[in-house]
Amino acid sequence: DWTEADAIEEDTATNRLSVEARGSTITLFIGDTKVGRVRDTALREGWIGFGVGSLADDSVEGRFSHLLVTAVE
């Protein structure tokens, strides 16, 4: 399910998105604000991907830059 987050800067603003995967826990951040956490023991490895969407039926555009993937120590 999609959930709105007050931490998202709208319109032409820049948002920093972070995903932290430690063991079976996946935590999502927008800026320094934690916006979600899930535990999933089924996903041990895999791929990453990005997408954009809207909770309304509006058109949407997203741009991604400065992708950094690091190992968790």
Side-chain angles (χ1 to χ4, degrees):
D1 294 330
W2 292 98
T3 303
E4 291 188 44
D6 292 335
I8 297 174
E9 298 291 334
E10 298 182 3
D11 299 320
T12 59
T14 299
N15 289 282
R16 182 173 48 89
L17 312 175
S18 304
V19 178
E20 179 182 277
R22 289 183 182 265
S24 60
T25 302
I26 301 168
T27 308
L28 307 173
F29 297 89
I30 299 173
D32 294 326
T33 303
K34 181 172 66 173
V35 295
R37 176 177 278 175
V38 66
R39 183 177 169 98
D40 190 335
T41 58
L43 296 175
R44 310 227 15 113
E45 62 183 354
W47 300 86
I48 60 171
F50 297 92
V52 296
S54 172
L55 293 174
D57 289 331
D58 299 332
S59 63
V60 65
E61 177 181 323
R63 297 176 187 185
F64 301 95
S65 65
H66 306 326
L67 173 64
L68 174 64
V69 179
T70 61
V72 176
E73 310 256 344

